Amino acid sequence: MPTRILPAAGDADAVRSITTLLSQLPDAEPVAPVVDSTQLVDTLARLAAESIDELPEVVVVHERIGPVPALELIREVALRFPAVGVILVTSDASPGLFQAAMDYGARGLVALPLSYEELASRVQAVAQWSVGVRRHLGSGGDVFTGVGGTVVTVSGAKGGVGATLVAIQLALAAQASGRGTVLVDMDLQTGDVASYLDVQFRRSVVDLAAITDISPRVLADAVFRHDTGVALLLAPGEGERGEEVTDRAARQIVSALRSRYEVVVIDCGAQLGGAGAAAVEMADRALLVTTPDVVAVRGAKRTVRMWDRLQIRKAEETTVVVNRHTRATEIQPPLIQKITGTAVAGIAIPANFKELQGAVDAGRIHELDSKGAVKQALWGLAGELGLVKPAEGVQKGGRLRGDRGSVSFRRRREAGG
């Protein structure tokens, strides 16, 4: 059986060199190369969703891949797709880098300039390892496809547009439908998830920042289990400590959470730091919350353009959520979509602060009236995004178990919207 090999390199000359040598290897079947980290992860996720057998046995990652650094990319691939063997191609073949590559999950290292003999030897060894892992997984009954949980980031076009409210309610809806859910407060300096849910905590996301190997036990120690069942990983009580969570740490934390939970909802706030940027880049769905006013919509457009310039997220890969929507306002969702160049969620969140005020002031936002328009819209949004299990969680009349009088996940018609 031929060995499928997926090259990943951002440089055209490197792609050509790697592909030429791979095509000469016996029983090798090089597949179309990918040119950046996002394309690599997306390709593997798509193949894994079909079957573990569709994944390539070997991925060859060039040191100059981007925008995610090569070692960070190897860690993510190793965590999400454990049956895929990764080889790092690098000009630095020092013992220090070799050890680092192994620590991050690589199965081999090949030095530049490429040597046919060395590449053939590494590919053969890694391919044999991959086949053995798949045989082991296949005999266990439940085969892990490597896709992992769904990661959704919620960012604000500016402060005060309701990003935290949206993040909390999406997490609650996912958990209520029967999916294991974690809510992460990545608004590291001004995060308010703990205040909205009235919880006292000792551990925070900062406690995971310096840990290179986040084991399930370490993760469990840092997570706070809320009464609703949602797991919480909170922002530090001392905002200045947020700087300890680097983009590298954020990638490790998100990857670890993705491997343990079905749904990962991350509140990124309105300020873009390295950690938040890494989360948005890794997300399966990136939401940007705005209100239908000129200042907020300009902020949304500015954020979308910044994400694109920094190669964090393309506009067409971003979904804008319109909060505090009314039919009377001049700025309606279709106009926001045209201005920002993004997709806009089909469900807009209505403006009804009276419904929220009591729960917000009491720090009990999880106790919103299930019959209220705001909560029904937010939980409907969770259904639109695919965060809930409608087949198992929806009873007659479209209501979630465990939440009396909650929302039907049928999309509402936007009359006049």
Side-chain angles (χ1 to χ4, degrees):
M1 180 178 177
T3 299
R4 291 161 298 179
I5 310 168
L6 174 58
D11 181 83
D13 292 335
V15 170
R16 192 160 41 248
S17 175
I18 294 173
T19 304
T20 299
L21 274 183
L22 291 176
S23 64
Q24 298 173 11
L25 300 182
D27 297 323
E29 184 184 315
V31 297
V34 296
V35 299
D36 60 37
S37 56
T38 301
Q39 189 179 3
L40 172 60
V41 174
D42 288 348
T43 299
L44 293 176
R46 175 175 50 80
L47 294 173
E50 298 177 16
S51 167
I52 190 173
D53 294 328
E54 297 298 320
L55 287 167
E57 286 77 20
V58 180
V59 170
V60 178
V61 175
H62 192 274
E63 63 180 355
R64 291 200 298 271
I65 192 74
V68 176
L71 289 179
E72 300 294 341
L73 178 60
I74 289 171
R75 179 190 291 277
E76 183 172 359
V77 171
L79 284 170
R80 294 183 62 184
F81 312 98
V84 175
V86 185
I87 296 173
L88 174 64
V89 175
T90 176
S91 56
D92 179 8
S94 65
L97 181 63
F98 180 85
Q99 184 61 52
M102 297 305 106
D103 290 343
Y104 275 75
R107 302 302 308 176
L109 184 147
V110 176
L112 290 170
L114 290 174
S115 158
Y116 174 86
E117 290 77 14
E118 185 181 9
L119 184 61
S121 174
R122 284 291 89 211
V123 167
Q124 182 181 15
V126 173
Q128 290 176 349
W129 171 87
S130 175
V131 170
V133 169
R134 294 175 195 214
R135 188 179 300 116
H136 172 73
L137 291 176
S139 65
D142 295 328
V143 178
F144 174 59
T145 63
V147 177
T150 300
V151 176
V152 178
T153 56
V154 184
S155 305
K158 68 179 191 67
V161 295
T164 299
L165 171 68
V166 172
I168 291 173
Q169 292 298 325
L170 292 180
L172 291 173
Q175 180 69 35
S177 76
R179 287 191 164 176
T181 304
V182 61
L183 172 61
V184 186
D185 196 343
M186 202 69 82
D187 187 0
L188 297 170
Q189 292 187 337
T190 58
D192 283 322
V193 169
S195 297
Y196 273 102
L197 296 175
D198 191 27
V199 297
Q200 303 295 321
F201 63 98
R202 294 183 299 106
R203 303 283 188 182
S204 75
V205 66
V206 171
D207 293 294
L208 299 177
I211 300 175
T212 56
D213 185 13
I214 303 175
S215 67
R217 176 174 294 182
V218 169
L219 195 61
D221 287 342
V223 167
F224 178 90
R225 180 69 62 177
H226 191 258
D227 294 341
T228 58
V230 174
L232 304 176
L233 185 57
L234 299 166
E238 306 82 15
E240 66 274 12
R241 295 199 63 196
E243 296 180 359
E244 299 176 32
V245 185
T246 63
D247 57 341
R248 173 179 174 180
R251 293 183 193 282
Q252 295 178 190
I253 293 167
V254 173
S255 294
L257 292 169
R258 191 199 294 267
S259 69
R260 306 299 299 179
Y261 294 91
E262 291 182 81
V263 177
V264 181
V265 180
I266 306 175
D267 179 5
C268 293
Q271 298 295 323
L272 183 67
V280 171
E281 184 180 4
M282 294 178 69
D284 299 293
R285 300 292 297 265
L287 307 183
L288 183 61
V289 181
T290 185
T291 47
D293 58 85
V294 172
V295 175
V297 173
R298 284 178 177 171
K301 181 179 180 180
R302 184 168 58 244
T303 298
V304 169
R305 288 185 172 181
M306 178 172 61
W307 286 358
D308 186 61
R309 288 195 305 270
L310 296 176
Q311 298 183 6
I312 296 169
R313 199 90 184 178
K314 295 178 181 178
E316 57 268 26
E317 298 172 347
T318 302
T319 300
V320 167
V321 175
V322 181
N323 190 23
R324 300 174 198 150
H325 172 260
T326 65
R327 293 177 181 155
T329 183
E330 293 184 8
I331 301 178
Q332 292 293 322
L335 178 58
I336 295 173
Q337 182 174 10
K338 183 178 180 180
I339 291 172
T340 60
T342 66
V344 173
I347 294 179
I349 315 305
N352 190 351
F353 186 68
K354 288 184 179 180
E355 179 183 335
L356 303 175
Q357 188 169 6
V360 170
D361 291 345
R364 310 286 292 180
I365 201 68
H366 51 289
E367 295 180 354
L368 282 182
D369 183 0
S370 296
K371 296 180 181 179
V374 173
K375 181 171 180 176
Q376 291 209 9
L378 286 165
W379 284 43
L381 176 63
E384 179 183 330
L385 297 172
L387 301 183
V388 299
K389 289 182 177 178
E392 297 177 9
V394 178
Q395 296 179 331
K396 186 176 180 180
R399 302 182 183 216
L400 279 177
R401 291 195 306 262
D403 195 78
R404 187 178 304 162
S406 192
V407 66
S408 166
F409 288 121
R410 293 192 298 258
R411 181 180 298 213
R412 300 178 178 184
R413 291 186 302 173
E414 290 292 318

